[in-house]
Amino acid sequence: MTSPSPGRPSDLMFLLSWASHALRAEHAAGLTELGISPRAHCVLSRARAGGLTQRQIGELCGVDKTTMVVTLDQLEAAGLARRVPSPTDRRARLVEVTAEGERVLDQAQQIAARLDQDVLAVLPEAEREVFLRAIQRLVVERLSGGGGCGPTGSVC
């Protein structure tokens, strides 16, 4: 990847996209040693608490139905997760993390935490919490995936 060259320093879409792309690439590289993808890491992380269907986990991870099935097939083949029938809905499957999946997930979480620390280390310590609160607020209050533009969600 070459160095960024946004149209202007405040080109928010470009900057967020560039940062996201670079962070995903580093995350994927870090997880390679565990044999899982960032998507699989997300699925395992969301499934850890238990009680969620594969559809619910897919929604939490931003993964479409087909991709979720493929991801779970891979996780099951690797012995990291399993699908079990839901006790309340015979059409649904709950996702459980296996003991091996727990071990791999713990390692993946450590890799992600080290990456977070490494990336945030370029900011002065006083700015780190401010940055994280600001980006979280942007995501929760405006960029939560609704797809609309403007304060009322009107189409651009």
Side-chain angles (χ1 to χ4, degrees), residues 21-140:
H21 178 77
L23 192 57
R24 278 188 196 157
E26 287 190 46
H27 187 213
L31 294 176
T32 300
E33 68 187 63
L34 301 177
I36 64 170
S37 66
R39 181 176 43 247
H41 178 202
C42 185
V43 169
L44 287 173
S45 179
R46 298 301 189 259
R48 177 178 256 173
L52 294 176
T53 65
Q54 62 187 62
R55 185 182 104 290
Q56 291 169 318
I57 294 169
E59 289 172 1
L60 289 170
C61 292
V63 175
D64 65 74
K65 188 175 172 180
T66 302
T67 304
M68 185 64 180
V69 169
V70 170
T71 303
L72 283 171
D73 287 348
Q74 293 167 343
L75 289 170
E76 282 187 318
L80 304 178
R82 66 180 155 260
R83 289 172 270 205
V84 297
S86 167
T88 59
D89 182 351
R90 63 186 174 98
R91 297 166 297 161
R93 299 285 177 258
L94 302 179
V95 179
E96 294 180 348
V97 179
T98 65
E100 178 64 10
E102 290 282 350
R103 187 188 67 74
V104 168
L105 181 55
D106 286 342
Q107 291 177 320
Q109 299 289 65
Q110 290 172 7
I111 289 167
R114 280 193 305 271
L115 178 59
D116 286 354
Q117 289 172 354
D118 185 51
V119 167
L120 292 173
V122 301
L123 296 174
E125 195 167 334
E127 292 180 19
R128 293 175 198 164
E129 281 301 314
V130 173
F131 171 75
L132 291 171
R133 279 195 314 270
I135 198 80
Q136 184 171 11
R137 185 172 178 188
L138 281 172
V139 169
V140 169

